[in-house]
Amino acid sequence: MTILDFDNRALNLETEGNQVKRILGDDVYQNKLSKSAKSRKPAPIRNLFPYEHAPGMISMLAGKPNPNLFPLVSLTMKVRSSEHRNDDALTELSLDGKDLEVALQYGPTAGTPELVKWLTDLTCHLHGSQLDEGWRVTVGSGSQDLLYKALTALIDSEDAIFLETPTYPGVLPIVQSLGCNIIQIPSDADGIDPSSMALILKSWPKEKPYPKLLYTIPFGSNPSGSTTTLARRLEVLRLAREYDFIILEDDPYYHLYYGNMPRPPSYFALERKVNGELGRVLRFDSFSKIVSGGLRLGWATGPQMLVDAIDLHGSSSNLQASGMSQMVVIKLLRHWGIDGFLAHAATCAQFYRDKRDLFEKYLQKHLQGVATWSTPNASMFYWIRLHLPPSMKAENIKNDEGDAVLFLTEKAIPGGILVLPGSCAYADERRICNVRVSFSLLDEENMDEGLRRLGSLLRA
Ligand SMILES: Cc1ncc(COP(=O)(O)O)c(C=O)c1O
């Protein structure tokens, strides 16, 4: 198979037909699981749930409330079409009967079976996976919930991990609280830079175990907005295999890729295209950016043993993601089918591409000469390097570029413009002059005015 990389180089990946599939054994994950994951006991009631479905079983097991007492009897939803956002063409879907009963009752920790099946089919469709490859899907209360459980299931305080930086500020408190050695791997407009990882690994002390995992955001990274090129993904995967680490692929912006070049494959897909060794990638997807953040639904896909560890945690913490949210999504997905879902996702991507283009226009208009940036090909973020005025720079630091935190508190907030200072995206909270700006909610007038304010504060 020949795939074009972003820089138009053709990269030859072995065709699937020629490959021998090698699925990693459980011993690989057993060595990776944290002490807390290994010592976690199954929740007694949930552990017996599967027996409820045995033929002829009379279950007196769970404290499931009697649905005849639930006050909700029927709900109606009006749904936009997947191709366009014309509110004259709404479809009415009702949620009642058996579906409502399932929505309102306790359900399996891994998710409502129909949703799990749908997401499993979607994974096969999008990433070329097959069912016999040792992976499964679990649904969580947003990908944040699943990330928390996965990181807790993998990391002990004595471990080292790789973190793509700048990184999603929401993941830092998790890894920091686990007390591990966080090795920050830089990224640029082409995504994570594996060459620095390779250097670190080459000179890794013999007596110390290699880092256990890499956390990376391959499409439209939050906060950098960058999408990792295929060449870099291949190198990351090669290193993961050579040095035996797990790739945590946090991909809530997968569907919001709007670049001109063909979409690079996910790590989950890439694994099976290159030499056929499977099982090193744990993927996180989210409904938040394409359906709704308030539903709190995401899903993790990866090696059975790692997903089991996530569910074991769930079975004694939040028990399951909201059954009502899951049923709302099931209703939508039944109505759309995979094609309708993908058409909706494409509509979202196009929407953000148009916004990106407009935002870029006002960046050029107001920030030329006082800031630099790369244009994102996915998601909703610009990572902007501010050329801060001398008053924001420290005299006692050589070549100091200033600190965006100071700019935020002393200039931006009083000046009526709110941005995220870049230091929040680093484990060491370093002084940095970058800010993350999100263009998702802004109309043209606010883009113009917001960036005008930012520009004039930088020029003051
Ligand atoms: C990179 C990244 N990961 C995870 C999340 C959490 O998403 P969710 O709403 O699915 O919990 C976000 C949310 O902004 C994000 O940007």
Side-chain angles (χ1 to χ4, degrees), residues 146-181:
L146 297 161
L147 281 166
Y148 177 78
K149 289 167 183 166
L151 290 162
T152 310
L154 285 166
I155 301 175
D156 282 314
S157 56
E158 56 273 24
D159 291 330
I161 66 160
F162 287 130
L163 199 65
E164 172 189 329
T165 49
T167 195
Y168 168 45
V171 93
L172 282 170
I174 308 175
V175 289
Q176 284 168 332
S177 73
L178 293 168
C180 56
N181 172 17

PDB file of all heavy atoms in Angstrom, residues 146-181:
ATOM      1  N   LEU A 146     -11.917   7.894  30.816  1.00  0.00           N
ATOM      2  CA  LEU A 146     -11.177   6.700  30.395  1.00  0.00           C
ATOM      3  C   LEU A 146      -9.674   6.937  30.457  1.00  0.00           C
ATOM      4  O   LEU A 146      -8.907   6.034  30.805  1.00  0.00           O
ATOM      5  CB  LEU A 146     -11.609   6.311  28.983  1.00  0.00           C
ATOM      6  CG  LEU A 146     -13.096   5.931  28.896  1.00  0.00           C
ATOM      7  CD1 LEU A 146     -13.599   5.993  27.463  1.00  0.00           C
ATOM      8  CD2 LEU A 146     -13.335   4.555  29.483  1.00  0.00           C
ATOM      9  N   LEU A 147      -9.261   8.173  30.137  1.00  0.00           N
ATOM     10  CA  LEU A 147      -7.833   8.499  30.239  1.00  0.00           C
ATOM     11  C   LEU A 147      -7.370   8.373  31.686  1.00  0.00           C
ATOM     12  O   LEU A 147      -6.308   7.819  31.973  1.00  0.00           O
ATOM     13  CB  LEU A 147      -7.586   9.932  29.769  1.00  0.00           C
ATOM     14  CG  LEU A 147      -7.539  10.153  28.260  1.00  0.00           C
ATOM     15  CD1 LEU A 147      -7.636  11.629  27.937  1.00  0.00           C
ATOM     16  CD2 LEU A 147      -6.242   9.569  27.696  1.00  0.00           C
ATOM     17  N   TYR A 148      -8.184   8.902  32.588  1.00  0.00           N
ATOM     18  CA  TYR A 148      -7.840   8.841  34.008  1.00  0.00           C
ATOM     19  C   TYR A 148      -7.657   7.388  34.446  1.00  0.00           C
ATOM     20  O   TYR A 148      -6.669   7.037  35.103  1.00  0.00           O
ATOM     21  CB  TYR A 148      -8.939   9.530  34.834  1.00  0.00           C
ATOM     22  CG  TYR A 148      -8.695   9.436  36.313  1.00  0.00           C
ATOM     23  CD1 TYR A 148      -7.773  10.275  36.925  1.00  0.00           C
ATOM     24  CD2 TYR A 148      -9.335   8.482  37.092  1.00  0.00           C
ATOM     25  CE1 TYR A 148      -7.501  10.165  38.281  1.00  0.00           C
ATOM     26  CE2 TYR A 148      -9.075   8.372  38.452  1.00  0.00           C
ATOM     27  CZ  TYR A 148      -8.155   9.208  39.035  1.00  0.00           C
ATOM     28  OH  TYR A 148      -7.878   9.096  40.374  1.00  0.00           O
ATOM     29  N   LYS A 149      -8.624   6.561  34.050  1.00  0.00           N
ATOM     30  CA  LYS A 149      -8.555   5.152  34.481  1.00  0.00           C
ATOM     31  C   LYS A 149      -7.385   4.420  33.819  1.00  0.00           C
ATOM     32  O   LYS A 149      -6.716   3.598  34.451  1.00  0.00           O
ATOM     33  CB  LYS A 149      -9.875   4.453  34.145  1.00  0.00           C
ATOM     34  CG  LYS A 149     -11.020   4.930  35.037  1.00  0.00           C
ATOM     35  CD  LYS A 149     -12.353   4.468  34.500  1.00  0.00           C
ATOM     36  CE  LYS A 149     -13.485   5.011  35.357  1.00  0.00           C
ATOM     37  NZ  LYS A 149     -14.792   4.866  34.710  1.00  0.00           N
ATOM     38  N   ALA A 150      -7.151   4.722  32.535  1.00  0.00           N
ATOM     39  CA  ALA A 150      -6.063   4.034  31.830  1.00  0.00           C
ATOM     40  C   ALA A 150      -4.704   4.424  32.403  1.00  0.00           C
ATOM     41  O   ALA A 150      -3.840   3.569  32.650  1.00  0.00           O
ATOM     42  CB  ALA A 150      -6.124   4.370  30.345  1.00  0.00           C
ATOM     43  N   LEU A 151      -4.516   5.716  32.639  1.00  0.00           N
ATOM     44  CA  LEU A 151      -3.220   6.174  33.162  1.00  0.00           C
ATOM     45  C   LEU A 151      -2.997   5.607  34.555  1.00  0.00           C
ATOM     46  O   LEU A 151      -1.881   5.194  34.901  1.00  0.00           O
ATOM     47  CB  LEU A 151      -3.163   7.709  33.161  1.00  0.00           C
ATOM     48  CG  LEU A 151      -3.084   8.320  31.757  1.00  0.00           C
ATOM     49  CD1 LEU A 151      -3.466   9.789  31.762  1.00  0.00           C
ATOM     50  CD2 LEU A 151      -1.678   8.140  31.166  1.00  0.00           C
ATOM     51  N   THR A 152      -4.062   5.552  35.343  1.00  0.00           N
ATOM     52  CA  THR A 152      -3.946   4.987  36.693  1.00  0.00           C
ATOM     53  C   THR A 152      -3.653   3.485  36.622  1.00  0.00           C
ATOM     54  O   THR A 152      -2.960   2.944  37.477  1.00  0.00           O
ATOM     55  CB  THR A 152      -5.264   5.237  37.463  1.00  0.00           C
ATOM     56  OG1 THR A 152      -5.601   6.609  37.333  1.00  0.00           O
ATOM     57  CG2 THR A 152      -5.160   4.878  38.925  1.00  0.00           C
ATOM     58  N   ALA A 153      -4.185   2.849  35.590  1.00  0.00           N
ATOM     59  CA  ALA A 153      -3.972   1.403  35.460  1.00  0.00           C
ATOM     60  C   ALA A 153      -2.570   1.066  34.976  1.00  0.00           C
ATOM     61  O   ALA A 153      -2.136  -0.077  35.084  1.00  0.00           O
ATOM     62  CB  ALA A 153      -5.001   0.816  34.497  1.00  0.00           C
ATOM     63  N   LEU A 154      -1.870   2.079  34.440  1.00  0.00           N
ATOM     64  CA  LEU A 154      -0.555   1.777  33.854  1.00  0.00           C
ATOM     65  C   LEU A 154       0.620   2.325  34.657  1.00  0.00           C
ATOM     66  O   LEU A 154       1.722   1.780  34.582  1.00  0.00           O
ATOM     67  CB  LEU A 154      -0.491   2.345  32.426  1.00  0.00           C
ATOM     68  CG  LEU A 154      -1.294   1.551  31.384  1.00  0.00           C
ATOM     69  CD1 LEU A 154      -1.464   2.333  30.095  1.00  0.00           C
ATOM     70  CD2 LEU A 154      -0.596   0.219  31.090  1.00  0.00           C
ATOM     71  N   ILE A 155       0.394   3.399  35.394  1.00  0.00           N
ATOM     72  CA  ILE A 155       1.552   4.127  35.940  1.00  0.00           C
ATOM     73  C   ILE A 155       1.726   3.940  37.443  1.00  0.00           C
ATOM     74  O   ILE A 155       0.778   4.123  38.216  1.00  0.00           O
ATOM     75  CB  ILE A 155       1.415   5.635  35.619  1.00  0.00           C
ATOM     76  CG1 ILE A 155       1.325   5.855  34.108  1.00  0.00           C
ATOM     77  CG2 ILE A 155       2.569   6.431  36.206  1.00  0.00           C
ATOM     78  CD1 ILE A 155       1.059   7.300  33.708  1.00  0.00           C
ATOM     79  N   ASP A 156       2.946   3.608  37.830  1.00  0.00           N
ATOM     80  CA  ASP A 156       3.370   3.630  39.243  1.00  0.00           C
ATOM     81  C   ASP A 156       4.357   4.777  39.422  1.00  0.00           C
ATOM     82  O   ASP A 156       4.950   5.263  38.442  1.00  0.00           O
ATOM     83  CB  ASP A 156       4.057   2.316  39.606  1.00  0.00           C
ATOM     84  CG  ASP A 156       3.063   1.198  39.843  1.00  0.00           C
ATOM     85  OD1 ASP A 156       2.057   1.433  40.556  1.00  0.00           O
ATOM     86  OD2 ASP A 156       3.277   0.094  39.306  1.00  0.00           O
ATOM     87  N   SER A 157       4.577   5.157  40.675  1.00  0.00           N
ATOM     88  CA  SER A 157       5.428   6.333  40.907  1.00  0.00           C
ATOM     89  C   SER A 157       6.863   6.129  40.409  1.00  0.00           C
ATOM     90  O   SER A 157       7.532   7.079  40.044  1.00  0.00           O
ATOM     91  CB  SER A 157       5.423   6.709  42.386  1.00  0.00           C
ATOM     92  OG  SER A 157       5.830   5.604  43.136  1.00  0.00           O
ATOM     93  N   GLU A 158       7.320   4.878  40.361  1.00  0.00           N
ATOM     94  CA  GLU A 158       8.709   4.659  39.928  1.00  0.00           C
ATOM     95  C   GLU A 158       8.857   4.590  38.397  1.00  0.00           C
ATOM     96  O   GLU A 158       9.959   4.450  37.874  1.00  0.00           O
ATOM     97  CB  GLU A 158       9.310   3.411  40.587  1.00  0.00           C
ATOM     98  CG  GLU A 158       8.573   2.119  40.392  1.00  0.00           C
ATOM     99  CD  GLU A 158       7.465   1.876  41.423  1.00  0.00           C
ATOM    100  OE1 GLU A 158       6.954   2.854  41.995  1.00  0.00           O
ATOM    101  OE2 GLU A 158       7.105   0.707  41.635  1.00  0.00           O
ATOM    102  N   ASP A 159       7.746   4.710  37.678  1.00  0.00           N
ATOM    103  CA  ASP A 159       7.800   4.593  36.215  1.00  0.00           C
ATOM    104  C   ASP A 159       8.207   5.902  35.553  1.00  0.00           C
ATOM    105  O   ASP A 159       7.992   6.982  36.098  1.00  0.00           O
ATOM    106  CB  ASP A 159       6.433   4.203  35.655  1.00  0.00           C
ATOM    107  CG  ASP A 159       6.050   2.789  36.035  1.00  0.00           C
ATOM    108  OD1 ASP A 159       6.963   1.960  36.197  1.00  0.00           O
ATOM    109  OD2 ASP A 159       4.842   2.514  36.191  1.00  0.00           O
ATOM    110  N   ALA A 160       8.708   5.752  34.312  1.00  0.00           N
ATOM    111  CA  ALA A 160       8.919   6.915  33.445  1.00  0.00           C
ATOM    112  C   ALA A 160       7.891   6.832  32.316  1.00  0.00           C
ATOM    113  O   ALA A 160       7.530   5.734  31.880  1.00  0.00           O
ATOM    114  CB  ALA A 160      10.324   6.886  32.875  1.00  0.00           C
ATOM    115  N   ILE A 161       7.412   7.992  31.878  1.00  0.00           N
ATOM    116  CA  ILE A 161       6.489   8.029  30.732  1.00  0.00           C
ATOM    117  C   ILE A 161       6.886   9.166  29.792  1.00  0.00           C
ATOM    118  O   ILE A 161       7.488  10.150  30.217  1.00  0.00           O
ATOM    119  CB  ILE A 161       5.017   8.218  31.167  1.00  0.00           C
ATOM    120  CG1 ILE A 161       4.792   9.597  31.813  1.00  0.00           C
ATOM    121  CG2 ILE A 161       4.545   7.111  32.088  1.00  0.00           C
ATOM    122  CD1 ILE A 161       3.355  10.037  31.834  1.00  0.00           C
ATOM    123  N   PHE A 162       6.515   9.011  28.513  1.00  0.00           N
ATOM    124  CA  PHE A 162       6.712  10.088  27.545  1.00  0.00           C
ATOM    125  C   PHE A 162       5.409  10.857  27.386  1.00  0.00           C
ATOM    126  O   PHE A 162       4.327  10.250  27.297  1.00  0.00           O
ATOM    127  CB  PHE A 162       7.076   9.521  26.163  1.00  0.00           C
ATOM    128  CG  PHE A 162       8.464   8.972  26.057  1.00  0.00           C
ATOM    129  CD1 PHE A 162       8.683   7.702  25.519  1.00  0.00           C
ATOM    130  CD2 PHE A 162       9.561   9.714  26.453  1.00  0.00           C
ATOM    131  CE1 PHE A 162       9.967   7.192  25.379  1.00  0.00           C
ATOM    132  CE2 PHE A 162      10.845   9.222  26.326  1.00  0.00           C
ATOM    133  CZ  PHE A 162      11.052   7.952  25.792  1.00  0.00           C
ATOM    134  N   LEU A 163       5.542  12.165  27.320  1.00  0.00           N
ATOM    135  CA  LEU A 163       4.374  13.018  27.159  1.00  0.00           C
ATOM    136  C   LEU A 163       4.670  13.970  26.009  1.00  0.00           C
ATOM    137  O   LEU A 163       5.644  14.726  26.066  1.00  0.00           O
ATOM    138  CB  LEU A 163       4.204  13.815  28.456  1.00  0.00           C
ATOM    139  CG  LEU A 163       2.888  14.459  28.779  1.00  0.00           C
ATOM    140  CD1 LEU A 163       1.808  13.412  28.982  1.00  0.00           C
ATOM    141  CD2 LEU A 163       3.035  15.280  30.064  1.00  0.00           C
ATOM    142  N   GLU A 164       3.850  13.917  24.968  1.00  0.00           N
ATOM    143  CA  GLU A 164       3.994  14.911  23.898  1.00  0.00           C
ATOM    144  C   GLU A 164       3.712  16.287  24.490  1.00  0.00           C
ATOM    145  O   GLU A 164       2.716  16.463  25.185  1.00  0.00           O
ATOM    146  CB  GLU A 164       2.979  14.607  22.784  1.00  0.00           C
ATOM    147  CG  GLU A 164       2.900  15.670  21.725  1.00  0.00           C
ATOM    148  CD  GLU A 164       1.723  15.451  20.762  1.00  0.00           C
ATOM    149  OE1 GLU A 164       1.344  14.303  20.512  1.00  0.00           O
ATOM    150  OE2 GLU A 164       1.190  16.468  20.286  1.00  0.00           O
ATOM    151  N   THR A 165       4.583  17.255  24.214  1.00  0.00           N
ATOM    152  CA  THR A 165       4.335  18.601  24.732  1.00  0.00           C
ATOM    153  C   THR A 165       4.440  19.632  23.607  1.00  0.00           C
ATOM    154  O   THR A 165       5.225  19.430  22.670  1.00  0.00           O
ATOM    155  CB  THR A 165       5.321  18.999  25.851  1.00  0.00           C
ATOM    156  OG1 THR A 165       6.637  18.722  25.401  1.00  0.00           O
ATOM    157  CG2 THR A 165       5.021  18.289  27.126  1.00  0.00           C
ATOM    158  N   PRO A 166       3.707  20.730  23.651  1.00  0.00           N
ATOM    159  CA  PRO A 166       2.756  21.027  24.709  1.00  0.00           C
ATOM    160  C   PRO A 166       1.625  20.002  24.707  1.00  0.00           C
ATOM    161  O   PRO A 166       1.290  19.451  23.665  1.00  0.00           O
ATOM    162  CB  PRO A 166       2.238  22.420  24.336  1.00  0.00           C
ATOM    163  CG  PRO A 166       2.437  22.512  22.851  1.00  0.00           C
ATOM    164  CD  PRO A 166       3.690  21.754  22.576  1.00  0.00           C
ATOM    165  N   THR A 167       1.038  19.761  25.870  1.00  0.00           N
ATOM    166  CA  THR A 167       0.040  18.704  25.976  1.00  0.00           C
ATOM    167  C   THR A 167      -1.296  19.221  26.478  1.00  0.00           C
ATOM    168  O   THR A 167      -1.395  20.361  26.961  1.00  0.00           O
ATOM    169  CB  THR A 167       0.552  17.580  26.901  1.00  0.00           C
ATOM    170  OG1 THR A 167      -0.268  16.424  26.712  1.00  0.00           O
ATOM    171  CG2 THR A 167       0.505  17.962  28.367  1.00  0.00           C
ATOM    172  N   TYR A 168      -2.282  18.362  26.392  1.00  0.00           N
ATOM    173  CA  TYR A 168      -3.627  18.665  26.877  1.00  0.00           C
ATOM    174  C   TYR A 168      -3.557  18.966  28.378  1.00  0.00           C
ATOM    175  O   TYR A 168      -3.179  18.092  29.165  1.00  0.00           O
ATOM    176  CB  TYR A 168      -4.507  17.445  26.590  1.00  0.00           C
ATOM    177  CG  TYR A 168      -5.860  17.425  27.248  1.00  0.00           C
ATOM    178  CD1 TYR A 168      -6.687  18.550  27.255  1.00  0.00           C
ATOM    179  CD2 TYR A 168      -6.331  16.263  27.847  1.00  0.00           C
ATOM    180  CE1 TYR A 168      -7.932  18.513  27.856  1.00  0.00           C
ATOM    181  CE2 TYR A 168      -7.576  16.217  28.442  1.00  0.00           C
ATOM    182  CZ  TYR A 168      -8.364  17.354  28.445  1.00  0.00           C
ATOM    183  OH  TYR A 168      -9.595  17.319  29.043  1.00  0.00           O
ATOM    184  N   PRO A 169      -3.880  20.186  28.781  1.00  0.00           N
ATOM    185  CA  PRO A 169      -3.729  20.537  30.201  1.00  0.00           C
ATOM    186  C   PRO A 169      -4.543  19.625  31.132  1.00  0.00           C
ATOM    187  O   PRO A 169      -4.186  19.457  32.292  1.00  0.00           O
ATOM    188  CB  PRO A 169      -4.242  21.986  30.274  1.00  0.00           C
ATOM    189  CG  PRO A 169      -4.076  22.523  28.889  1.00  0.00           C
ATOM    190  CD  PRO A 169      -4.297  21.362  27.968  1.00  0.00           C
ATOM    191  N   GLY A 170      -5.581  18.996  30.610  1.00  0.00           N
ATOM    192  CA  GLY A 170      -6.416  18.117  31.445  1.00  0.00           C
ATOM    193  C   GLY A 170      -5.761  16.798  31.796  1.00  0.00           C
ATOM    194  O   GLY A 170      -6.260  16.071  32.674  1.00  0.00           O
ATOM    195  N   VAL A 171      -4.675  16.458  31.124  1.00  0.00           N
ATOM    196  CA  VAL A 171      -4.042  15.173  31.429  1.00  0.00           C
ATOM    197  C   VAL A 171      -2.916  15.355  32.455  1.00  0.00           C
ATOM    198  O   VAL A 171      -2.524  14.408  33.151  1.00  0.00           O
ATOM    199  CB  VAL A 171      -3.551  14.498  30.114  1.00  0.00           C
ATOM    200  CG1 VAL A 171      -2.123  14.822  29.789  1.00  0.00           C
ATOM    201  CG2 VAL A 171      -3.752  13.000  30.163  1.00  0.00           C
ATOM    202  N   LEU A 172      -2.423  16.584  32.562  1.00  0.00           N
ATOM    203  CA  LEU A 172      -1.276  16.820  33.456  1.00  0.00           C
ATOM    204  C   LEU A 172      -1.581  16.507  34.922  1.00  0.00           C
ATOM    205  O   LEU A 172      -0.778  15.826  35.580  1.00  0.00           O
ATOM    206  CB  LEU A 172      -0.772  18.255  33.300  1.00  0.00           C
ATOM    207  CG  LEU A 172       0.090  18.484  32.055  1.00  0.00           C
ATOM    208  CD1 LEU A 172       0.347  19.968  31.849  1.00  0.00           C
ATOM    209  CD2 LEU A 172       1.400  17.724  32.174  1.00  0.00           C
ATOM    210  N   PRO A 173      -2.724  16.984  35.465  1.00  0.00           N
ATOM    211  CA  PRO A 173      -2.969  16.671  36.876  1.00  0.00           C
ATOM    212  C   PRO A 173      -3.023  15.162  37.143  1.00  0.00           C
ATOM    213  O   PRO A 173      -2.669  14.711  38.235  1.00  0.00           O
ATOM    214  CB  PRO A 173      -4.345  17.303  37.149  1.00  0.00           C
ATOM    215  CG  PRO A 173      -4.554  18.300  36.071  1.00  0.00           C
ATOM    216  CD  PRO A 173      -3.765  17.823  34.887  1.00  0.00           C
ATOM    217  N   ILE A 174      -3.435  14.394  36.148  1.00  0.00           N
ATOM    218  CA  ILE A 174      -3.513  12.935  36.351  1.00  0.00           C
ATOM    219  C   ILE A 174      -2.108  12.364  36.490  1.00  0.00           C
ATOM    220  O   ILE A 174      -1.774  11.707  37.479  1.00  0.00           O
ATOM    221  CB  ILE A 174      -4.246  12.235  35.173  1.00  0.00           C
ATOM    222  CG1 ILE A 174      -5.603  12.869  34.894  1.00  0.00           C
ATOM    223  CG2 ILE A 174      -4.381  10.739  35.455  1.00  0.00           C
ATOM    224  CD1 ILE A 174      -6.323  12.296  33.659  1.00  0.00           C
ATOM    225  N   VAL A 175      -1.259  12.646  35.493  1.00  0.00           N
ATOM    226  CA  VAL A 175       0.073  12.028  35.539  1.00  0.00           C
ATOM    227  C   VAL A 175       0.920  12.617  36.669  1.00  0.00           C
ATOM    228  O   VAL A 175       1.715  11.906  37.296  1.00  0.00           O
ATOM    229  CB  VAL A 175       0.803  12.106  34.179  1.00  0.00           C
ATOM    230  CG1 VAL A 175       0.158  11.175  33.185  1.00  0.00           C
ATOM    231  CG2 VAL A 175       0.868  13.500  33.610  1.00  0.00           C
ATOM    232  N   GLN A 176       0.700  13.884  36.961  1.00  0.00           N
ATOM    233  CA  GLN A 176       1.476  14.482  38.062  1.00  0.00           C
ATOM    234  C   GLN A 176       1.097  13.845  39.392  1.00  0.00           C
ATOM    235  O   GLN A 176       1.948  13.589  40.238  1.00  0.00           O
ATOM    236  CB  GLN A 176       1.268  15.995  38.088  1.00  0.00           C
ATOM    237  CG  GLN A 176       2.070  16.675  36.981  1.00  0.00           C
ATOM    238  CD  GLN A 176       1.703  18.124  36.773  1.00  0.00           C
ATOM    239  OE1 GLN A 176       0.575  18.533  37.031  1.00  0.00           O
ATOM    240  NE2 GLN A 176       2.639  18.917  36.274  1.00  0.00           N
ATOM    241  N   SER A 177      -0.188  13.552  39.577  1.00  0.00           N
ATOM    242  CA  SER A 177      -0.600  12.972  40.861  1.00  0.00           C
ATOM    243  C   SER A 177      -0.076  11.545  41.014  1.00  0.00           C
ATOM    244  O   SER A 177       0.014  11.029  42.121  1.00  0.00           O
ATOM    245  CB  SER A 177      -2.129  12.989  41.002  1.00  0.00           C
ATOM    246  OG  SER A 177      -2.687  12.008  40.162  1.00  0.00           O
ATOM    247  N   LEU A 178       0.286  10.912  39.897  1.00  0.00           N
ATOM    248  CA  LEU A 178       0.803   9.539  39.998  1.00  0.00           C
ATOM    249  C   LEU A 178       2.293   9.531  40.341  1.00  0.00           C
ATOM    250  O   LEU A 178       2.865   8.471  40.601  1.00  0.00           O
ATOM    251  CB  LEU A 178       0.539   8.789  38.691  1.00  0.00           C
ATOM    252  CG  LEU A 178      -0.961   8.546  38.420  1.00  0.00           C
ATOM    253  CD1 LEU A 178      -1.199   8.063  36.991  1.00  0.00           C
ATOM    254  CD2 LEU A 178      -1.549   7.559  39.421  1.00  0.00           C
ATOM    255  N   GLY A 179       2.908  10.706  40.318  1.00  0.00           N
ATOM    256  CA  GLY A 179       4.286  10.852  40.825  1.00  0.00           C
ATOM    257  C   GLY A 179       5.350  10.240  39.940  1.00  0.00           C
ATOM    258  O   GLY A 179       6.470   9.982  40.388  1.00  0.00           O
ATOM    259  N   CYS A 180       5.044   9.974  38.674  1.00  0.00           N
ATOM    260  CA  CYS A 180       6.020   9.303  37.800  1.00  0.00           C
ATOM    261  C   CYS A 180       7.017  10.321  37.220  1.00  0.00           C
ATOM    262  O   CYS A 180       6.839  11.521  37.372  1.00  0.00           O
ATOM    263  CB  CYS A 180       5.292   8.585  36.666  1.00  0.00           C
ATOM    264  SG  CYS A 180       4.223   9.674  35.719  1.00  0.00           S
ATOM    265  N   ASN A 181       8.034   9.788  36.562  1.00  0.00           N
ATOM    266  CA  ASN A 181       9.010  10.634  35.889  1.00  0.00           C
ATOM    267  C   ASN A 181       8.454  10.990  34.503  1.00  0.00           C
ATOM    268  O   ASN A 181       8.345  10.124  33.635  1.00  0.00           O
ATOM    269  CB  ASN A 181      10.339   9.852  35.797  1.00  0.00           C
ATOM    270  CG  ASN A 181      11.369  10.553  34.943  1.00  0.00           C
ATOM    271  OD1 ASN A 181      11.247  11.749  34.653  1.00  0.00           O
ATOM    272  ND2 ASN A 181      12.384   9.812  34.519  1.00  0.00           N
TER     273      ASN A 181
END
